[in-house]
Amino acid sequence: MNLVQTLRDLNDRHRAALPARDRADFEDELDRLRMVRLVEEGLGLGDHLPDFSLSDGAGRLWTSQELLDGGPLVLALFRGGWCPYCDLTMAALEEARPAIEALGAQAIGIMPERVEHVAATVERRGIGYLMLSDPANGFARTCGLAYDLSPAHIRIHRDRGRDFPALHGDTHWRLPVPAVFVVAPDARVAFAFADVDPACWPDPEALLTALQALLDTHALSNR
């Protein structure tokens, strides 16, 4: 899958199909998030991944330290199972999973929906990597990568039957910024990508290249 082009094509179709008011409100929301420099102030290259303790769809609790003890992580923040852009990126990460695992790393997905919705998304998409529930975007907020929706953006989602406070176990209308990181076993972020536009995501090949570079650096340091 050429993920970058596939997302671009979906975005072109999606925006063309939107009513003029919705399209303008969506563009205004992206402009607002760019102006507050949400991505630039969030978790980035060279930072250390914040600790977390999150449950998978079966209710099993996982900690960041437990996962990092097993090796590097490719960790992705998804908006949710309702998001068509996330559907494509989840599928691309699953497609890349064997190559990620062959490099001694583990793919992890994190989404703000409650455990039962996480389980349903994993089953529907046939996801073989670990998907964790981040209630109320607690972990995403710790990373500086969650935001409150504007009233106009809330209206767009309400019109489509989405109730994020109910889905997320939250009292606020919040979403995470779509993001993906390659994290070394010492929790250092060796690759970081985030964009407020859900149609933007790196090709999985970039993640594999970052993983290989991380392994090469480790091998050199052990000589």
Side-chain angles (χ1 to χ4, degrees):
M1 176 193 296
N2 184 334
L3 181 60
V4 172
Q5 187 59 52
T6 302
L7 288 170
R8 187 178 297 126
D9 292 345
L10 174 61
N11 188 50
D12 289 344
R13 295 193 303 272
H14 179 229
R15 295 198 186 195
L18 283 174
R21 180 188 178 192
D22 290 358
R23 186 163 54 249
D25 285 345
F26 182 69
E27 293 290 349
D28 286 347
E29 183 78 332
L30 292 182
D31 288 343
R32 177 180 73 88
L33 296 174
R34 289 173 181 136
M35 284 180 62
V36 300
R37 296 178 57 82
L38 188 63
V39 167
E40 291 81 359
E41 299 298 328
L43 184 69
L45 187 66
D47 293 339
H48 278 74
L49 186 75
D51 293 337
F52 64 74
S53 180
L54 301 172
S55 296
D56 62 20
R60 201 274 209 195
L61 198 64
W62 297 84
T63 68
S64 51
Q65 188 57 61
E66 176 185 8
L67 294 168
L68 288 167
D69 283 346
L73 302 179
V74 175
L75 188 146
L77 296 182
F78 298 115
R79 299 201 300 169
W82 54 270
C83 172
Y85 302 103
C86 293
D87 261 359
L88 289 172
T89 53
M90 287 177 188
L93 188 59
E94 174 61 25
E95 189 174 307
R97 180 171 62 86
I100 290 170
E101 292 174 352
L103 291 170
Q106 183 177 358
I108 306 291
I110 296 178
M111 55 191 286
E113 294 175 22
R114 293 184 301 182
V115 166
E116 61 268 29
H117 298 293
V118 169
T121 296
V122 167
E123 182 176 3
R124 176 174 58 86
R125 282 240 56 98
I127 291 171
Y129 53 86
L130 189 62
M131 185 73 77
L132 302 176
S133 169
D134 182 26
N137 283 285
F139 174 68
R141 283 187 283 144
T142 301
C143 295
L145 291 172
Y147 61 94
D148 289 348
L149 277 66
S150 66
H153 208 191
I154 292 172
R155 177 194 62 78
I156 290 173
H157 289 290
R158 270 189 168 144
D159 287 351
R160 287 153 179 78
R162 300 170 190 144
D163 184 346
F164 292 148
L167 277 173
H168 303 167
D170 201 350
T171 57
H172 293 263
W173 283 78
R174 265 190 290 246
L175 281 174
V177 175
V180 62
F181 306 96
V182 172
V183 186
D186 64 359
R188 179 180 57 85
V189 175
F191 172 93
F193 181 94
D195 198 302
V196 295
D197 187 343
C200 294
W201 194 269
D203 190 90
E205 190 62 36
L207 306 176
L208 298 175
T209 298
L211 264 178
Q212 186 62 62
L214 182 63
L215 294 176
D216 291 345
T217 299
H218 180 72
L220 285 171
S221 67
N222 286 338
R223 284 184 179 177

